[in-house]
Amino acid sequence: MPRTVDRPERLSAISDAVVTIATEHGFAAVTIRTVAERIGASTSLVTHYVGHRDDILRSAVRRVVEARCREADRVVGGTAGPDALRALVEWAVLASDDDHGIHRFWLALVVGSAGEPALREELDVFNSWWDTRLRQALAAAEIADTDQAADLINVVVDGLIIGAFDNGHPWPPHRRQCILTATWSALGVAPREERP
Amino acid sequence: MPRTVDRPERLSAISDAVVTIATEHGFAAVTIRTVAERIGASTSLVTHYVGHRDDILRSAVRRVVEARCREADRVVGGTAGPDALRALVEWAVLASDDDHGIHRFWLALVVGSAGEPALREELDVFNSWWDTRLRQALAAAEIADTDQAADLINVVVDGLIIGAFDNGHPWPPHRRQCILTATWSALGVAPREERP
């Protein structure tokens, strides 16, 4: 089989390995050697496919970020007015238990970005996307002071995510929902109607 | 000089090294070897003074936590009513730029506690102290629903701390103050009077 055929598969396996290692042990633990060990390949095979360590970090982060952005756009798509704002924020903090993994990866990215410019740049790309979407949603919800509202929502979203790790386990959904209800109230956004 | 004389000094140097390494690179980077390298001693000297790795993690974390608790008690001491609540929360999120280091250490502790039971236990001790102080302050401020209020404050405090790392730099104090003002408003606590 010619080498080009399995290239996407190899790249995908390498990115998966980066994400798993970073999620479990932080980005400092991601090296060409640990990635190679994880996929059962030689270090020269890894560098053949992806080049330097920064390249494998960047492409792995970008893949996760792009998938998250697509997911958010799918969840928010079709909503309007304050529903769009609620859908975006709820997607960020309320969704399934699977999110504990993606939140842990995000936390590893935040921590790693302090010492690794490549990670800082990728996180900035994600933050810039988030900021654009959030401001669109705040405009759709007709919130006047978008700067202050964006700050408050960012603090609440970050706080709800980190709270799961501070406590050692995710908060039950109703406690997270109470925080969002207080946030909507502070912003003058009507809470979503209760469903049984 | 007999060995007992410089024991506190050695222990102090070892704890300082643990804190520095954990703050910069995370707790995974803290090993008997990296600590010994940092203080310019042999690994056997380090183990002679502190025993196993878990012991040096625990005593280093406990020293930082105890200093933080004393500082909070000093800041909150002498205040009453809603002032006690504001003083406690402002101490946690508003204080000097030096706090970026202590916040980064706390973040390393939160991240590290996911995989290291010794860190989890020490973080639980700190969280339990914080929870007690927070509930005392909420009672002093005559807030009725202490569970919900504590959740909201915890989310805001955690979110403000992590926000500095998510953005790559601490927020300016007035932006943090705006978030606290919104929080006091949500809780029905009068904001502190503006000072010029």
Side-chain angles (χ1 to χ4, degrees):
Chain A
M1 199 187 289
R3 189 175 267 161
T4 48
V5 172
D6 63 344
R7 185 175 162 80
E9 206 176 312
R10 281 282 184 201
L11 289 174
S12 173
I14 290 168
S15 283
D16 286 348
V18 171
V19 172
T20 305
I21 298 166
T23 303
E24 285 174 9
H25 306 289
F27 276 94
V30 179
T31 64
I32 299 288
R33 188 179 57 75
T34 56
V35 169
E37 276 169 11
R38 182 134 208 131
I39 65 169
S42 65
T43 54
S44 56
L45 182 136
V46 173
T47 48
H48 169 80
Y49 277 102
V50 288
H52 298 290
R53 177 172 173 276
D54 270 6
D55 301 326
I56 74 171
L57 298 189
R58 279 177 183 278
S59 59
V61 172
R62 206 165 294 175
R63 212 169 62 130
V64 172
V65 164
E66 283 169 2
R68 284 291 280 173
C69 295
R70 277 196 305 274
E71 197 188 310
D73 287 342
R74 186 178 54 73
V75 168
V76 176
T79 58
D83 280 346
L85 178 61
R86 284 190 294 255
L88 181 68
V89 172
E90 288 176 0
W91 164 80
V93 298
L94 281 189
S96 70
D97 284 347
D98 296 346
D99 283 358
H100 198 55
I102 192 84
H103 287 165
R104 196 168 163 185
F105 179 75
W106 170 82
L107 186 53
L109 182 58
V110 168
V111 170
S113 69
E116 305 220 37
L119 296 179
R120 181 73 256 165
E121 282 179 32
E122 297 302 323
L123 181 56
D124 285 344
V125 169
F126 174 71
N127 284 344
S128 165
W129 168 86
W130 168 259
D131 194 60
T132 304
R133 280 292 177 284
L134 180 57
R135 281 163 196 276
Q136 285 169 348
L138 287 167
E142 297 182 354
I143 287 177
D145 190 338
T146 47
D147 283 345
Q148 277 200 28
D151 275 3
L152 180 61
I153 288 175
N154 284 329
V155 164
V156 167
V157 167
D158 281 1
L160 278 169
I161 293 174
I162 191 85
F165 301 96
D166 193 3
N167 282 275
H169 47 79
W171 288 19
H174 73 90
R175 276 173 72 189
R176 287 180 269 175
Q177 188 60 67
C178 278
I179 298 293
L180 292 189
T181 303
T183 307
W184 302 141
S185 167
L187 294 173
V189 175
R192 198 193 290 270
E193 283 179 23
E194 296 257 335
R195 276 161 302 196
Chain B
M1 200 186 289
R3 188 175 268 160
T4 48
V5 172
D6 63 344
R7 185 175 162 81
E9 206 176 311
R10 281 282 185 203
L11 288 174
S12 173
I14 290 169
S15 283
D16 285 347
V18 171
V19 172
T20 305
I21 298 167
T23 303
E24 285 174 10
H25 306 289
F27 275 96
V30 179
T31 64
I32 298 288
R33 188 179 56 74
T34 57
V35 169
E37 276 169 10
R38 182 135 209 130
I39 64 169
S42 65
T43 53
S44 57
L45 182 136
V46 173
T47 49
H48 169 79
Y49 278 102
V50 288
H52 298 290
R53 177 172 172 276
D54 270 6
D55 300 326
I56 74 172
L57 298 188
R58 279 177 184 278
S59 59
V61 172
R62 206 166 296 174
R63 211 168 64 129
V64 172
V65 164
E66 282 169 3
R68 283 292 277 173
C69 295
R70 277 196 304 274
E71 197 189 311
D73 287 340
R74 187 179 53 72
V75 168
V76 175
T79 58
D83 280 346
L85 178 62
R86 284 190 294 254
L88 181 68
V89 172
E90 288 176 0
W91 164 78
V93 299
L94 281 190
S96 71
D97 283 347
D98 297 346
D99 283 357
H100 198 56
I102 192 83
H103 288 165
R104 197 167 163 186
F105 178 75
W106 171 81
L107 186 53
L109 181 58
V110 168
V111 169
S113 70
E116 305 220 37
L119 297 179
R120 181 73 255 164
E121 282 179 32
E122 296 303 322
L123 181 56
D124 285 344
V125 169
F126 174 70
N127 284 344
S128 166
W129 168 86
W130 167 260
D131 194 59
T132 303
R133 281 293 177 285
L134 181 57
R135 281 163 197 276
Q136 284 168 349
L138 288 167
E142 298 182 352
I143 289 176
D145 192 337
T146 46
D147 283 346
Q148 276 200 29
D151 275 2
L152 180 61
I153 288 175
N154 284 329
V155 163
V156 166
V157 167
D158 281 1
L160 279 168
I161 292 174
I162 191 86
F165 301 95
D166 193 3
N167 283 275
H169 46 81
W171 287 20
H174 73 91
R175 277 173 71 191
R176 286 179 270 175
Q177 187 61 67
C178 279
I179 299 293
L180 291 190
T181 303
T183 307
W184 303 142
S185 166
L187 293 174
V189 175
R192 198 193 290 270
E193 281 177 26
E194 295 259 335
R195 276 161 301 197

